[in-house]
Amino acid sequence: MSRTGLSARCAGLALLVWLALPPAQAAEPAPQFGRYLPLYPGLYLDASYALDPADSSYDRNGDRQGSAAPQAGGHTAFPERRLRASLTWHLPLFEGRDLPFFSSRTHLLRVSLNQASVRTDGRLAEFAADASDDASTDADDLRNNGSGVGDLGFEFGSFLLGSPSSGWRSGERPPYALLATVGVRLPFGRYDRDAPVNAGSNTAAAQLQLGGHWQPWSGGLVDAGFTWRHYFDNEEPAFGALDPARQGSDRLIDLSLAQRLVSGWYASVYGLDRQGGHNRYLNPRYSPNPPSPGGIPGSVDTFPTPGNYQDEGSALRETGLGLHWFASQRVLIGLQYSHPLSGKSGQFLLPYTNRAPAGCTPGGLGCNVSAGDTVLVDGLGAARVFASDRWTLSLRYQFGQGDPYACAGCKR
């Protein structure tokens, strides 16, 4: 097959996957070593299975709390098992056409998918299951989880440095690379507006990423990247609009170092820092910790005051260790452990309005309203930052010819 034919075939396969594969969410994975390294052109499958108990979180002051939703009272956990997969095509484009920029370097196309099993345990699950307070909190018909297929992610990238199209066949390239990508996430995943956790996000996102790779010594690989991610409106925020209607933009910095131990075995360490902007909430309908309206029981009730609210943003800083084994030149197996160092979740102050008699329509005849108490509530979904450790088992498989990494098992 000609070089132009190979490029057209790879691009066609990417388009078919983009149109036909089920949706998934581009959840934040632990950084893999060599993620910005130019690979031999071909198709690569990356799959991972992550376990996260999500049984603790950070509050808005950065203090660790022994619950995933501390303002609900008691203990709450959002245990998650997530299977991620991505298909990546490394390929030259228009090699024989002498097009500026495109013809002189290799590129990549990536489609990301995932499937998640999520649920709510503890106090928040009890709140969702308790029908006795539905009338007073407008919390009717709540459910426990939104497990299923996640959102769909798509990326296109080009190697600005380190992967000239004229040298990939011979394996000749410098010990450094610079990769730029643009990506989108489409909210096609499973989403239940009445559940506190979901496999999908119901929110589209776009991102820009710049990543560098360097091999400073024999068997050593350094990768570092910066990502900016912008989120669009969530038209139906979950769990009484305690999920943000607009998530603040993210800025991520990642760094990893890997070293070959013996032939085929690598150890890695990584760090990640994410800073999220202010999350906005629109007209929350209830909270699991409403204030007491006072007065004679049954004669007065209270409801969240409608309006736009904003938290102080979110943050996460974590580190991790990994062990990776090239089972063959086409198969790479890895095990990673991730540990959060610090973080901050989105929490905001929610004022309540009292009304008498209970259940009357504000503005209606004989309905008296007054300012009630204000409570601190937990933002859910994208606003939650967990303080739990996470384990990830990963697999990479390369279709076709060539080595997944230039130094797999070698002494270079």
Side-chain angles (χ1 to χ4, degrees), residues 240-293:
L242 296 182
D243 205 6
R246 168 66 74 90
Q247 181 180 349
S249 297
D250 282 334
R251 297 175 301 280
L252 296 97
I253 298 174
D254 61 83
L255 174 67
S256 70
L257 169 64
Q259 176 62 50
R260 185 182 66 248
L261 303 176
V262 294
S263 180
W265 287 89
Y266 283 77
S268 68
V269 59
Y270 83 88
L272 182 146
D273 183 88
R274 180 181 69 82
Q275 300 293 325
H278 300 287
N279 300 300
R280 293 195 294 107
Y281 307 82
L282 178 62
N283 299 329
R285 298 191 303 276
Y286 51 80
S287 73
N289 57 327
S292 172

Side-chain angles (χ1 to χ4, degrees), residues 25-43:
Q25 178 185 13
E28 205 66 54
Q32 294 277 3
F33 85 96
R35 58 196 170 279
Y36 304 121
L37 168 66
L39 302 184
Y40 192 93
L43 173 61

Side-chain angles (χ1 to χ4, degrees), residues 37-41 44 90 106 159 161-164 167-177 213 215 403-407 412:
L37 168 66
L39 302 184
Y40 192 93
Y44 296 80
H90 285 255
T106 62
F159 284 94
L161 296 172
S163 187
W168 64 263
R169 287 180 179 80
S170 62
E172 298 175 359
R173 56 171 172 253
Y176 57 83
H213 173 79
Q215 295 173 249
D403 297 339
Y405 290 91
C407 286
R412 175 181 168 187

Side-chain angles (χ1 to χ4, degrees), residues 162 202 222 296 300 362:
N202 202 44
V222 179
I296 301 174
V300 182

Side-chain angles (χ1 to χ4, degrees), residues 298-311:
S299 64
V300 182
D301 67 357
T302 188
F303 62 93
T305 304
N308 283 283
Y309 300 95
Q310 181 176 279
D311 62 29

Side-chain angles (χ1 to χ4, degrees), residues 349-360:
L349 294 172
L350 179 61
Y352 271 72
T353 298
N354 297 333
R355 60 185 172 184
C360 69

Side-chain angles (χ1 to χ4, degrees), residues 194-253:
D194 294 312
V197 287
N198 281 282
S201 67
N202 202 44
T203 304
Q207 76 171 36
L208 300 173
Q209 185 178 69
L210 187 66
H213 173 79
W214 181 38
Q215 295 173 249
W217 56 76
S218 176
L221 301 95
V222 179
D223 291 271
F226 173 79
T227 303
W228 175 81
R229 189 175 298 140
H230 173 75
Y231 299 90
F232 297 91
D233 286 345
N234 184 346
E235 301 295 342
E236 204 171 26
F239 213 66
L242 296 182
D243 205 6
R246 168 66 74 90
Q247 181 180 349
S249 297
D250 282 334
R251 297 175 301 280
L252 296 97
I253 298 174

